[in-house]
Amino acid sequence: MISEIETLKTWITGSDNIVFFGGAGVSTESGVPDFRSVDGLYHQKFDYPPETILSHSFFYQHTEYFYNFYREKMLPLEVEPNAAHKKLAQWEQEGKLKAVVTQNIDGLHQKAGSSCVYELHGSVHRNYCQRCGKFYSAEYIRDSEGNPHCDCGGLIKPDVVLYEEGLDEACIDGAVKAIAAADVLIVGGTSLTVYPAAGLIRYYRGNKLVLINRDETPYDSYADLIFRDPIGEVLSQL
């Protein structure tokens, strides 16, 4: 891995237009469970499959069950940013990294200090009353019981993209523009199998595509550098 690290160091040193695209593997090093690994949510036993529970229709048909699951499995508010989050925030502060595009909803990039973050799947830290639009924090949802309601009586919904829902167009547009303009694109902690998010890296036009993922991805043949090591371990060497 030494020669690959040296190559990546050279690319990072010579760039002031880096974009990072990340998935669940970025946060698992902080202790946030993913979906598809051996210990992920898809391999745990629930009354319904996780993708059913986290769907638009299930939210409205079985709201209380949704929130019981959501509070237990989707609100790891005590976790802290890891080496990968911190390195990306450092690069942004140094003027090297222009944007983070993430599939995660945990807000750890912002907690580490990143400001330009495109959250493709929303955030647990934004929750809105569907009647009046009032904002509520993740802590409010965590500490509530049953179905959380607004002062006005409206049902509160997390601002996360559930199954059966579309991605925010403004967020996608910003992410596409950032990726298309990047001279170094680092993709980490994602299997690149969840669409439409995974398809966004097709907009990259450069020749410094870096993939950091434990397993093979459908985009390996397009990559200029590939690492199979934990993303925090790779980025902490840079």
Side-chain angles (χ1 to χ4, degrees):
M1 189 173 75
I2 295 176
S3 61
E4 286 84 357
I5 283 291
E6 292 304 318
T7 297
L8 184 51
K9 278 184 180 179
T10 301
W11 292 356
I12 298 301
T13 300
S15 176
D16 61 359
N17 192 0
I18 304 165
V19 170
F20 178 81
F21 180 102
V26 180
S27 292
T28 52
E29 292 178 48
S30 290
V32 179
D34 64 3
F35 277 74
R36 293 172 175 78
S37 68
V38 174
D39 299 319
L41 291 179
Y42 283 171
H43 293 277
Q44 299 178 31
K45 298 299 182 183
F46 305 104
D47 295 338
Y48 306 89
E51 61 267 36
T52 298
I53 300 171
L54 296 173
S55 69
H56 178 89
S57 55
F58 193 93
F59 174 80
Y60 290 102
Q61 294 167 5
H62 307 279
T63 308
E64 187 167 354
Y65 190 103
F66 170 92
Y67 267 114
N68 289 338
F69 176 90
Y70 185 79
R71 290 188 187 97
E72 179 182 350
K73 298 296 184 181
M74 308 300 291
L75 290 178
L77 303 184
E78 72 286 350
V79 299
E80 295 295 329
N82 59 54
H85 298 107
K86 294 174 183 176
K87 177 60 71 171
L88 294 169
Q90 175 192 323
W91 286 345
E92 183 184 281
Q93 291 158 11
E94 293 172 351
K96 303 186 74 62
L97 184 135
K98 292 297 185 280
V100 169
V101 180
T102 181
Q103 300 175 80
N104 297 334
I105 60 175
D106 50 45
L108 286 176
H109 286 292
Q110 290 92 330
K111 197 171 185 179
S114 293
S115 59
C116 185
V117 182
Y118 294 101
E119 297 174 302
L120 298 175
H121 296 151
S123 172
V124 299
H125 295 282
R126 296 189 301 270
N127 304 273
Y128 294 99
C129 170
Q130 296 185 102
R131 181 180 295 174
C132 73
K134 183 178 178 180
F135 167 84
Y136 287 87
S137 68
E139 288 77 13
Y140 180 89
I141 301 298
R142 179 195 63 193
D143 298 336
S144 62
E145 295 182 1
N147 300 338
H149 285 85
C150 176
D151 298 334
C152 77
L155 178 65
I156 299 170
K157 183 178 184 294
D159 187 20
V160 299
V161 179
L162 302 176
Y163 289 94
E164 304 168 353
E165 295 180 343
L167 275 59
D168 180 80
E169 290 187 13
C171 182
I172 293 177
D173 186 56
V176 166
K177 288 179 178 176
I179 290 170
D183 54 33
V184 177
L185 176 62
I186 302 175
V187 180
T190 172
S191 60
L192 292 173
T193 57
V194 178
Y195 288 84
L200 296 186
I201 70 170
R202 293 176 179 167
Y203 290 93
Y204 177 59
R205 301 166 182 166
N207 59 357
K208 297 180 178 68
L209 173 60
V210 184
L211 294 187
I212 309 172
N213 197 56
R214 179 187 58 195
D215 303 314
E216 293 183 2
T217 80
Y219 288 84
D220 282 7
S221 60
Y222 299 97
D224 301 289
L225 276 179
I226 296 178
F227 298 88
R228 296 291 182 218
D229 309 276
I231 186 166
E233 178 182 317
V234 175
L235 296 191
S236 62
Q237 297 180 63
L238 302 172

